[in-house]
């Protein structure tokens, strides 16, 4: 567990969430990051490499080392997946680093933004971003599921209203 897992104000946990996406899907990643950061009241820190407003690689450092470090620190990876006719090799590399058996456990959540399903995750329950019910289920899990972040001992907001 990273030193920055504890907020300065006491024992409140903070969690790292990595958003894996193609740079052309940066706007989708930005919307997810904004939701995560604002609605969690700062308890969840998003990593979005394509947006300087969020945590990402820094100048003067090795890009792959920075990304691997962020992936190893992440408790959740959100994969923004749009269409199969693009090159997803780098995003799949990121998913591989996050799920390496030698690294801490990371939950991978696929945001399926089109009809296509990423082959490595076709047997996994996904968030169909085009369906309001799936977005509601994701939101409920984000706030109320104590296992959403593997290091968590409680949910972010256990009394979060289903409405």
């Amino acid at each position: 567990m990273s030193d920055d897992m504890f907020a300065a104000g006491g024992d409140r946990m903070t969690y790292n969430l990595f958003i894996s996406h193609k740079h052309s899907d940066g706007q989708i990643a930005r919307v997810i990051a904004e939701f995560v950061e604002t609605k969690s009241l700062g308890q969840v820190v998003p990593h979005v490499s394509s947006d300087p407003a969020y945590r990402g690689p820094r100048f003067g450092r090795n890009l792959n080392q920075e990304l691997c470090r962020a992936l190893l620190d992440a408790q959740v990876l959100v994969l923004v997946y749009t269409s199969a006719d693009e090159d997803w090799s780098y995003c799949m590399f990121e998913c591989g680093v996050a799920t390496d058996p030698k690294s801490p456990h990371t939950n991978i959540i696929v945001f399926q933004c089109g009809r296509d399903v990423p082959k490595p995750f076709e047997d996994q329950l996904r968030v169909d971003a085009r369906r309001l019910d799936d977005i509601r289920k994701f939101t409920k899990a984000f706030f109320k599921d104590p296992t959403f972040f593997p290091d968590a001992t409680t949910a972010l907001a256990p009394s979060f209203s289903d409405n």
Side-chain angles (χ1 to χ4, degrees), residues 13-71:
M13 297 284 290
T14 58
Y15 304 99
N16 295 315
L17 183 139
F18 189 100
I19 302 175
S20 179
H21 66 287
K22 297 188 64 53
H23 283 278
S24 58
D25 298 325
Q27 181 62 34
I28 300 168
R30 198 171 308 117
V31 168
I32 296 168
E34 184 177 318
F35 169 83
V36 162
E37 188 173 58
T38 59
K39 301 303 181 191
S40 74
L41 303 176
Q43 281 188 268
V44 180
V45 179
H47 178 101
V48 183
S49 60
S50 66
D51 193 326
Y54 297 98
R55 186 186 296 179
R58 302 295 178 233
F59 289 114
R61 298 194 181 155
N62 180 286
L63 175 64
N64 284 335
Q65 287 176 351
E66 288 284 296
L67 288 175
C68 287
R69 188 175 297 115
L71 286 160

Side-chain angles (χ1 to χ4, degrees), residues 23-120:
H23 283 278
S24 58
D25 298 325
Q27 181 62 34
I28 300 168
R30 198 171 308 117
V31 168
I32 296 168
E34 184 177 318
F35 169 83
V36 162
E37 188 173 58
T38 59
K39 301 303 181 191
S40 74
L41 303 176
Q43 281 188 268
V44 180
V45 179
H47 178 101
V48 183
S49 60
S50 66
D51 193 326
Y54 297 98
R55 186 186 296 179
R58 302 295 178 233
F59 289 114
R61 298 194 181 155
N62 180 286
L63 175 64
N64 284 335
Q65 287 176 351
E66 288 284 296
L67 288 175
C68 287
R69 188 175 297 115
L71 286 160
L72 293 173
D73 285 345
Q75 290 83 32
V76 172
L77 180 143
V78 171
L79 171 62
V80 174
Y81 191 83
T82 49
S83 69
D85 61 351
E86 297 185 49
D87 178 11
W88 291 95
S89 58
Y90 208 83
C91 291
M92 292 302 118
F93 163 76
E94 291 173 340
C95 291
V97 171
T99 59
D100 185 309
K102 296 175 189 163
S103 72
H105 181 71
T106 303
N107 287 336
I108 294 188
I109 299 169
V110 176
F111 263 66
Q112 181 181 331
C113 299
R115 290 186 318 224
D116 299 329
V117 176
K119 295 277 187 223

